[in-house]
Amino acid sequence: MEIIHLKEDYIKLGQALKAAGMTDSGVEAKYEIQDGLVKVNGEIETRRGKKLSAGDIVEYKGKTIKIEL
């Protein structure tokens, strides 16, 4: 499980995927999210601008990201 520590109140979903090294670029993240391949807290999320805060869990291609303070 990859852990992302917040520097501010939130991080956007597309930024989180890129920061965790799960996508090579923001454009790639955008298309993966729009195609319904990413889950946030167990639900498919199609908005790359979705704000993630501490406690949120992101699932993508069998990998997990946890957002922490």
Side-chain angles (χ1 to χ4, degrees):
M1 177 182 297
E2 180 79 26
I3 296 181
I4 294 180
H5 293 279
L6 293 174
K7 295 177 183 171
E8 297 183 19
D9 292 337
Y10 66 88
I11 186 170
K12 292 182 180 179
L13 179 56
Q15 293 171 332
L17 289 177
K18 189 174 172 189
M22 293 185 170
T23 60
D24 294 328
S25 69
V27 173
E28 181 183 351
K30 173 183 174 179
Y31 291 120
E32 298 292 286
I33 294 165
Q34 285 179 345
D35 288 345
L37 301 176
V38 180
K39 289 184 179 181
V40 175
N41 299 324
E43 307 240 345
I44 293 173
E45 180 57 63
T46 57
R47 300 171 292 162
R48 75 175 173 152
K50 164 78 173 160
K51 293 178 181 179
L52 304 173
S53 53
D56 284 337
I57 303 288
V58 177
E59 299 171 59
Y60 173 65
K61 289 190 173 180
K63 297 182 181 175
T64 304
I65 303 169
K66 183 174 183 182
I67 310 299
E68 294 185 351
L69 289 175

